[in-house]
């Protein structure tokens, strides 16, 4: 699975504005709703449910919020670079400025874990992360992800 299997040019935002974690999740939910056809409130509720189990902020300014929804027909992702970092209660306490949200059907099983692993793999590349942070254009951000995406056996 590659990051471009999860996101499309329409699901990338290079300068998302959010002041809080809750507002960030609401903005991501709105963007995802336009792409996957599920109500933004349902997406937001699924993300909040997961966050109550523990923060999906993985450290170094990165978060991978995710949720499972019964109405989804496939796996969807939204990638965002925040204009200003927000507190996300991340493992290392650092505020988050890069977010790769993943939504999967409730019945996705191992595909949910593969999608999470794919996002984490991409965001472990320090060079790519630095370039993503410096990019302010949606299409350029998507192009960077697409160019750097390499298939991995899962």
């Amino acid at each position: 699975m590659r990051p471009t299997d999860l996101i499309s040019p329409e699901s990338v935002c290079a300068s998302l504005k959010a002041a809080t974690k809750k507002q960030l999740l609401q903005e991501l939910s709105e963007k995802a709703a336009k792409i996957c056809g599920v109500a933004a409130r349902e997406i937001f509720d699924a993300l909040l449910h997961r966050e109550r189990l523990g923060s999906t902020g993985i450290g170094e300014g990165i978060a991978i919020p995710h949720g499972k929804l019964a109405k989804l027909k496939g796996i969807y992702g939204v990638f965002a670079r925040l204009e200003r970092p927000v507190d996300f209660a991340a493992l290392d306490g650092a505020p988050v400025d890069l977010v790769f949200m993943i939504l999967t059907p409730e019945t996705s099983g191992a595909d949910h874990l593969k999608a999470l692993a794919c996002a984490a793999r991409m965001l472990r590349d320090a060079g790519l992360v630095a370039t993503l942070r410096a990019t302010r254009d949606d299409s350029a951000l998507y192009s960077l992800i697409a160019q750097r995406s390499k298939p991995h056996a899962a």
Side-chain angles (χ1 to χ4, degrees):
M1 186 174 290
R2 298 171 296 161
T4 51
D5 295 333
L6 305 171
I7 61 169
S8 64
E10 298 77 30
S11 64
V12 172
C13 182
S15 57
L16 187 69
K17 294 178 185 176
T20 65
K21 179 178 179 176
K22 182 178 178 181
Q23 186 180 20
L24 170 59
L25 294 175
Q26 288 171 328
E27 294 291 330
L28 292 170
S29 297
E30 291 289 335
K31 189 146 185 86
K34 294 174 186 171
I35 297 162
C36 70
V38 173
R41 184 65 199 197
E42 289 180 55
I43 295 168
F44 179 69
D45 288 345
L47 294 174
L48 273 186
H49 176 75
R50 172 55 189 86
E51 289 299 321
R52 284 188 198 107
L53 300 175
S55 177
T56 57
I58 62 172
E60 297 184 28
I62 297 167
I64 308 175
H66 53 277
K68 293 183 177 184
L69 294 137
K71 294 180 180 178
L72 282 181
K73 302 290 186 230
I75 298 175
Y76 295 90
V78 173
F79 184 84
R81 183 199 144 279
L82 280 65
E83 283 195 355
R84 290 194 171 90
V86 299
D87 178 28
F88 209 85
L91 296 175
D92 64 356
V96 163
D97 67 339
L98 293 178
V99 182
F100 198 141
M101 181 188 71
I102 297 171
L103 301 172
T104 58
E106 278 184 350
T107 58
S108 63
D111 286 339
H112 181 80
L113 296 176
K114 288 178 185 177
L116 292 173
C118 173
R121 242 190 332 268
M122 180 188 93
L123 295 168
R124 274 197 312 252
D125 180 337
L128 176 59
V129 166
T131 307
L132 293 172
R133 285 190 165 120
T135 304
R136 305 286 190 269
D137 177 75
D138 293 354
S139 60
L141 195 63
Y142 179 79
S143 292
L144 277 170
I145 294 168
Q147 290 169 3
R148 297 299 253 315
S149 291
K150 296 178 183 166
H152 293 276

